[in-house]
Amino acid sequence: DSNSMAVAAVVSPSAHLQTTVTHRSPRVPEFSKDEVADHCEIHSCWIIVCDKVYDVTNFTREHPGGLDVIMEYAGRDATVAFMDKGHSKDAWIVLSGYYIGELVKKDRINK
């Protein structure tokens, strides 16, 4: 049937294009320590954990350890405090939901 062949010819190139597009990796935003430091308030609270940047603004009041604990590290590297506290696997999962990007290479601990 000639209609089937025409449809196959149209579908095939777009199917290939979709496959190509899905294999592209999106560019991860990068932030400097200075940029993170600008977000040190209750209305805009970013922290760094293991060279990753998290916008925890919407989590500050829900934090089981209290608002003060997070605000102490607002706009700064909270890696040591986060690791020393021995956060659970669930805490890491919650944190991952607030991920917004990476530190720029020059500011990373593990360059």
Side-chain angles (χ1 to χ4, degrees), residues 32-49 52-61 63 66-79 81-82 95:
S32 69
K33 278 190 174 183
D34 288 341
E35 287 175 297
V36 174
D38 288 340
H39 299 271
C40 59
E41 305 290 334
I42 188 91
H43 65 275
S44 183
C45 180
W46 293 9
I47 61 170
I48 301 163
V49 177
K52 297 185 182 314
V53 180
Y54 300 89
D55 179 350
V56 293
T57 305
N58 294 327
F59 182 69
T60 55
R61 296 187 193 281
H63 185 252
L67 172 67
D68 292 344
V69 175
I70 285 193
M71 293 313 298
E72 182 179 342
Y73 294 96
R76 301 186 314 129
D77 194 321
T79 303
F82 193 87
L95 181 65

Side-chain angles (χ1 to χ4, degrees), residues 18-36:
Q18 267 185 327
T19 305
T20 306
V21 171
T22 16
H23 284 83
R24 286 188 186 160
S25 58
R27 190 171 182 278
V28 175
E30 291 187 332
F31 304 97
S32 69
K33 278 190 174 183
D34 288 341
E35 287 175 297
V36 174

